[in-house]
Amino acid sequence: MRQDHLISAANLSRESIEAVLDRAAAIDADPAAYRQRHAGAVLALCFFEPSTRTKMSFDTAMKRLGGTTVDMGTVESSSVKKGETLADTVRVVEGYADAIVLRHPSEGAAKMASEFVDVPLVNAGDGAGQHPSQTLLDLYTIRERAGLDDLSVGIMGDLKYGRTVHSLAHALTNFDVRQHFISPESLRLPRNVRFDLHEAGAHVREHTDLEAVLPELDVLYVTRIQRERFPDENEYRAVAGQYRIDEETLEAARDDLSVMHPLPRVDEIAPEVDETEYATYFEQAHNGIPVRMALLDGLLTRAKEGGR
Ligand code: NCD
């Protein structure tokens, strides 16, 4: 198996993370220098679940590197509708492209698909599993704002089904970060992620209330309750709307707190927060371009050097 797929943040080292973030910073400083870097290369976008940011930013990132993209389109319009397996789809698609970005509703789908292809495959979300490229842009944003050491990071909302949370929690174990998880009891971090954090020796605290921990946070990473993952709509209703941030909530926060969110938000952050210095989520979304350019540049360059 090739080593170059990006499937989970659990196997990202500090060095590999910093390499991508440094390259993203170089791209941010001089985007024109990268304009023709991967001319002629093709990126396949295979999204079996809705996406705005992730898909459009990978698309834009590839084009800004001089490459092009091919898009599977929606599941409704693809051969998946005729019963094609994921393994067959990616085996066909690798013949069209130099790299594949895959989003799929099933946890483990990206790992499974990666075993069938020789081009680099990026997991752009596998059910409630992982979303490692989001994590890279989250880390880039945190680093730009506050650096990545001696930090208190609060992660709040749907910690059970939120794949961006799982990836971020894993990646933060590489840094000197105190992780505070804030959620209702029923949406706690899954046992396997808690186990991994414990094994990594991470500083972890769990809370059901934001109030007590808010004053010490450098970053508050808010997430959407992942309605589509709940087996029972009543369970969703029982927790929906419980963790909402507005200007009043933030009165107890430090002045330099960064409020982040992978977006889309539903009602977790009141729009009035957008106008405050705390709001970092739009900047975070914009960082998807340099970070995904850096990620693709690394993957495509190594694939080329590997004789492909
Ligand atoms: C997230 C996702 O798809 O997991 N969105 C994203 O990629 N920015 C978060 C979410 O859907 O809540």
Side-chain angles (χ1 to χ4, degrees):
M1 194 190 111
R2 39 175 314 128
Q3 297 303 308
D4 239 12
H5 305 300
L6 179 59
I7 306 300
S8 165
N11 29 43
L12 287 176
S13 65
R14 183 173 178 138
E15 294 69 44
S16 63
I17 292 169
E18 285 178 341
V20 177
L21 306 195
D22 290 346
R23 197 186 296 246
I27 291 170
D28 235 349
D30 186 11
Y34 292 79
R35 219 175 267 152
Q36 290 302 318
R37 197 156 172 110
H38 293 284
V42 179
L43 177 68
L45 303 170
C46 300
F47 281 70
F48 292 78
E49 261 192 356
S51 171
T52 306
R53 269 154 298 277
T54 305
K55 186 165 156 180
M56 289 184 75
S57 67
F58 267 114
D59 193 351
T60 306
M62 188 60 180
K63 288 170 180 164
R64 294 214 181 144
L65 289 167
T68 55
T69 58
V70 284
D71 184 351
M72 187 188 85
T74 63
V75 168
E76 290 302 306
S77 66
S78 75
S79 281
V80 176
K81 241 353 219 188
K82 303 181 191 165
E84 184 165 66
T85 65
L86 177 59
D88 279 2
T89 302
V90 293
R91 266 187 289 199
V92 170
V93 168
E94 83 163 326
Y96 308 155
D98 301 285
I100 298 173
V101 178
L102 175 72
R103 171 170 287 188
H104 197 278
S106 306
E107 200 166 329
K111 172 89 180 75
M112 187 279 275
S114 73
E115 282 158 14
F116 290 91
V117 296
D118 282 326
V119 298
L121 185 141
V122 176
N123 179 10
D126 60 325
Q130 289 269 325
H131 191 355
S133 71
Q134 175 71 42
T135 293
L136 291 168
L137 74 91
D138 295 341
L139 294 175
Y140 184 77
T141 308
I142 296 173
R143 192 174 81 163
E144 294 267 286
R145 280 264 176 156
L148 267 170
D149 277 308
D150 189 19
L151 277 190
S152 288
V153 175
I155 305 182
M156 185 170 85
D158 188 346
L159 312 182
K160 180 177 182 183
Y161 296 116
R163 55 198 178 196
T164 66
V165 171
H166 306 157
S167 287
L168 182 60
H170 274 125
L172 286 175
T173 64
N174 289 293
F175 302 91
D176 176 17
V177 170
R178 297 169 291 283
Q179 302 197 49
H180 293 276
F181 295 98
I182 305 130
S183 74
E185 182 66 32
S186 62
L187 295 181
R188 274 178 84 185
L189 213 54
R191 187 188 291 268
N192 65 318
V193 180
R194 274 185 280 141
F195 177 81
D196 290 347
L197 299 187
H198 179 74
E199 286 288 285
H203 173 117
V204 170
R205 298 280 180 278
E206 293 183 275
H207 314 260
T208 48
D209 224 359
L210 174 64
E211 217 179 326
V213 69
L214 178 63
E216 68 181 87
L217 299 180
D218 299 286
V219 174
L220 176 60
Y221 190 96
V222 183
T223 62
R224 173 180 73 86
I225 308 288
Q226 307 280 301
R227 183 178 199 160
E228 67 277 27
R229 312 257 180 250
F230 280 68
D232 179 351
E233 179 72 17
N234 288 327
E235 275 179 46
Y236 167 75
R237 276 200 226 104
V239 289
Q242 269 190 33
Y243 291 79
R244 191 166 183 275
I245 298 290
D246 55 23
E247 274 192 290
E248 198 186 324
T249 324
L250 292 171
E251 274 168 18
R254 291 174 37 170
D255 287 347
D256 58 354
L257 172 77
S258 288
V259 176
M260 297 176 61
H261 192 304
L263 303 178
R265 74 173 142 181
V266 183
D267 58 2
E268 311 80 46
I269 303 178
E272 66 193 27
V273 177
D274 300 0
E275 307 310 322
T276 69
E277 294 283 311
Y278 302 117
T280 310
Y281 28 94
F282 291 114
E283 173 186 327
Q284 180 186 357
H286 294 164
N287 286 337
I289 301 297
V291 172
R292 290 189 165 114
M293 284 174 75
L295 173 65
L296 291 172
D297 182 31
L299 290 172
L300 292 167
T301 303
R302 285 193 295 277
K304 235 187 282 173
E305 283 164 359
R308 288 195 52 80

